[in-house]
Amino acid sequence: MTSFDHTKYRPFQPVAISDRTWPDQEITQAPKWCSVDLRDGNQALVEPMTVEQKKQFFALLVDVGFKEIEVGFPAASQLDFDFVRWLIEENQVPDDVSIQVLTQARPELIERTYESLKGAKKAVVHVYNSTSKTQREQVFRLDKDGIKNIAVNGAKCVLEHAKKNPETEWVFQYSPESFTGTETDYAVEVCNAVIDVWQPTPEHKCIINLPATVEVTTPNRFADQIEYFCRNVIKRDSIEVSLHTHNDRGCGVAAAELGIMAGADRIEGTLLGNGERTGNMDVVTMAMNMYSQGVDPKLALGDMDRIVSVVQACTQLPVHPRHPYAGELVFTAFSGSHQDAIKKCLAFQKEDQPWDVAYLPIDPTDVGRSYQEVIRVNSQSGKGGMAYTLEQEYGLALPRWLQVEFSPIVQKFAEEDGGVIDAEAMKNLFESNFLTGKSPYALGRYELSKAENDTVHAELLSNNETIQVSGQGNGALSAFGEALGKYFNLKIDIVQYQEHALTVGSDAQAIAYVQTNIDGERFNGAAIDSDIVSASIQALLATLNQKVIAAEQANVA
């Protein structure tokens, strides 16, 4: 029988602080942001990123506006070492961006870390050791002084190597790993010892990063720890207090927000929250929370489709449709009363007035989205009935995001045709709207080769004309998207992709569904083929055809 016994756990012991001030504070400006997608996020992946994926992700982080980016653990990984060298030797780091690297407080690892950074203009050396009671007693079997000595010796080693490489603008960062599981007064003691070695000044600060390596308590208790730390740490005007929260209790964003109110200056996290176990603090959610309160987050999050597309392609992890601000369905109302309220508020909303629309905390257009309502097919059947019918009759298991796009089309047809629509008519509507990969452009022959990147060479057939296109990417679909984008001078992002075998009929065929963002507009395509690669690139071509047709119709109008 499964054991479910709460008595085996002990409650968190809060820090003693009775005159806390953080509950009365407000977040009025953005913290310093540091992305740890390429290090902490990468180590949490089943399949770590390739060098090419890291390059793509780094470019996204720079475009979004991160000024500090943790790019790896070069002393522990040859791939990370090589990536850091590529960034430096190929001059890939903008002058206003600092790369950050992680190392344990061990001399041989610190030395290797500095080797990786040779020639960097600006860099943050992030050194850490575990300080929690559990790790001290059960892992390292050292007393408090023994653990503090590890931190102090590591800090001295970091300083010595920096003096040997004066051509780089160095910033030192120390983390007492598992800060939340460390007695707060002892964490202050260890950090004070490190600060005493580095002797930072208001003009040349160091970073003290306080990780909730495992989230063990409520956000208010975490804020108490941060306020206590900020009050008692030495040289407070010469350090940046940084937070690195995790999401074990589902409160990573809330803990970071309250930690900022408690006095922290800087936040480490990942785009969309990828990380160990339940994930890291989600920078997109926290930044957009500020944005929704009228605070400039100092990050460019207006092209959410691109962010989602790159994160999914590089991490190979899906983004939940209900993910705050970024999910496919977060601006979609299924309730009729919600739809009605939103419609009325949108009609009432004036451009020169603050945003105030029921059920929509922000204007979807701010992140490149639109308000999508899901309308019932008729009084008897809704979106779910439509999807069930297509799957049962024709084996078409439409993904949720395509159902959202298809429902209004079916609804309109039903209303114009007397309110009744059968399975065959529904299938015809689906084909005419989404299986559009033949005109004006059809796929001819294509070749796919795999090396460091996937490369595709393809023919497009149009009006007895053959057009040659080629591109590279992480997979055939990405490569074909780049090929089309280059030839037609369009910005094409793959937002969603899904495939499955057709379960109805005797032929062994598969169907691919693709959603793209082409120059800021959403298009959905599908294709059926015996080969899934052919199906996927034809589905992508279908979205291009829709874009071309829409542009032609707009010109005629």
Side-chain angles (χ1 to χ4, degrees), residues 166-338:
E167 71 279 1
T168 299
E169 181 182 331
W170 299 109
V171 173
F172 305 145
Q173 174 172 329
Y174 172 71
S175 289
E177 190 195 8
S178 299
F179 166 77
T180 46
T182 303
E183 305 90 330
T184 310
D185 56 349
Y186 175 62
V188 171
E189 179 184 336
V190 174
C191 291
N192 281 345
V194 170
I195 294 167
D196 194 50
V197 172
W198 286 339
Q199 288 296 309
T201 66
E203 294 72 35
H204 189 196
K205 296 183 179 184
C206 71
I207 302 168
I208 300 297
N209 185 56
L210 305 177
T213 308
V214 179
E215 187 179 32
V216 295
T217 187
T218 53
N220 62 306
R221 296 300 191 195
F222 179 72
D224 282 349
Q225 289 180 295
I226 302 307
E227 182 163 343
Y228 180 95
F229 185 93
C230 289
R231 288 186 189 184
N232 292 279
V233 70
I234 63 172
K235 291 181 173 289
R236 181 64 184 91
D237 64 345
S238 299
I239 67 171
E240 291 180 355
V241 174
S242 175
L243 306 180
H244 181 117
T245 58
H246 279 247
N247 206 40
D248 299 87
R249 293 169 56 95
C251 301
V253 169
E257 290 177 332
L258 268 58
I260 290 292
M261 293 163 61
D265 312 297
R266 180 179 183 268
I267 293 293
E268 293 189 347
T270 61
L271 294 178
L272 307 177
N274 171 47
E276 297 280 20
R277 302 178 308 280
T278 56
N280 280 38
M281 205 289 302
D282 179 359
V283 172
V284 169
T285 298
M286 183 171 176
M288 288 304 302
N289 284 352
M290 294 180 190
Y291 181 84
S292 72
Q293 300 300 302
V295 176
D296 183 359
K298 303 297 183 182
L299 293 175
L301 302 174
D303 192 353
M304 197 65 73
D305 281 351
R306 183 196 173 203
I307 293 171
V308 171
S309 175
V310 171
V311 171
Q312 289 188 141
C314 293
T315 65
Q316 301 181 59
L317 294 174
V319 173
H320 195 281
R322 299 295 182 189
H323 194 107
Y325 304 105
E328 187 65 26
L329 298 180
V330 296
F331 302 117
T332 299
F334 290 89
S335 162
S337 62
H338 288 197

